[in-house]
């Protein structure tokens, strides 16, 4: 795997669309994730400013972000945000590839599930709800694996339903009624 690190710091902030974000409600029961983020692209320089703008107001100034480079083709070292710069780092083995870690000097650390940009709206809704569940002990990768399994099961069910409606065995009829010649007694077959 090749990781491209962008060592330049842009002078101007890249316009960002609003962040698609779901956060776990405040609770005394901790979970492994603090919510989910569904970026529109794999461009951290474009996506992170909108995310940090939302979270700065809620959690305090985000100063550092850590990603796993498995899903990010270019990782900038710094990203301009409103009123400050966010430093970006990466870890391959130590960090879940589907997780974004946000750090704030004032208030701590938050872990977000990163939903791939190409995910359908229905799947993203399921994932954001699961990641924002209070006290959940599911990791980001386990949530993604569960969604993949759900998608595969739905595809299998859809294929089975299609088969049933396109000439598969009719439902509700015993097999003996559908193929009587196969179930006749040998002495009756000659008549």
């Amino acid at each position: 795997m090749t990781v491209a690190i962008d060592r330049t710091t842009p002078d101007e902030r890249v316009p960002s669309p609003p962040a698609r974000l779901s956060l776990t409600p405040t609770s005394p029961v901790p979970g492994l994730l603090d919510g989910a983020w569904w970026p529109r692209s794999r461009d951290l320089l474009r996506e992170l400013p909108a995310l940090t703008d939302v979270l700065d107001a809620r959690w305090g100034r985000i100063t550092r972000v850590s990603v796993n480079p498995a899903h990010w083709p270019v990782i900038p070292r710094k990203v301009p945000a409103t009123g400050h710069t966010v430093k970006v780092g990466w870890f391959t083995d130590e960090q879940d590839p589907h997780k974004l870690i946000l750090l704030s000097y004032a208030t701590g650390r938050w872990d977000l599930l990163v939903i791939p940009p190409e995910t359908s709206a229905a799947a993203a809704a399921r994932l954001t709800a699961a990641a924002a569940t209070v006290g959940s002990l599911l990791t980001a990768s386990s949530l993604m694996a569960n969604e993949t399994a759900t998608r595969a099961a739905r595809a299998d069910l859809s294929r089975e339903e299609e088969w049933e409606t396109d000439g598969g065995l009719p439902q509700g009829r015993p097999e003996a009624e559908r193929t009587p010649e196969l179930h006749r007694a040998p002495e009756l077959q000659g008549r």
Side-chain angles (χ1 to χ4, degrees), residues 1 10 44 56 66 68 72 101 142 155-156:
M1 168 180 56
L44 284 171
D56 282 354
S66 175
N68 183 310
W72 303 101
I101 298 173
S142 64
D156 287 346

Side-chain angles (χ1 to χ4, degrees), residues 180-190:
E181 64 280 356
L182 297 177
H183 298 287
R184 288 185 186 168
E187 64 275 356
L188 299 176
Q189 288 192 13

Side-chain angles (χ1 to χ4, degrees), residues 74-126:
V74 176
I75 301 174
R77 291 185 65 180
K78 295 179 182 180
V79 174
T82 303
H84 68 290
T85 301
V86 177
K87 294 179 181 177
V88 182
W90 58 274
F91 297 96
T92 53
D93 297 331
E94 299 87 0
Q95 186 169 335
D96 187 321
H98 298 286
K99 185 168 69 172
L100 177 81
I101 298 173
L102 301 129
L103 302 169
S104 170
Y105 286 129
T107 52
R109 168 188 165 156
W110 297 272
D111 296 357
L112 298 179
L113 165 68
V114 178
I115 300 169
E118 62 276 2
T119 304
S120 71
R126 286 189 299 272

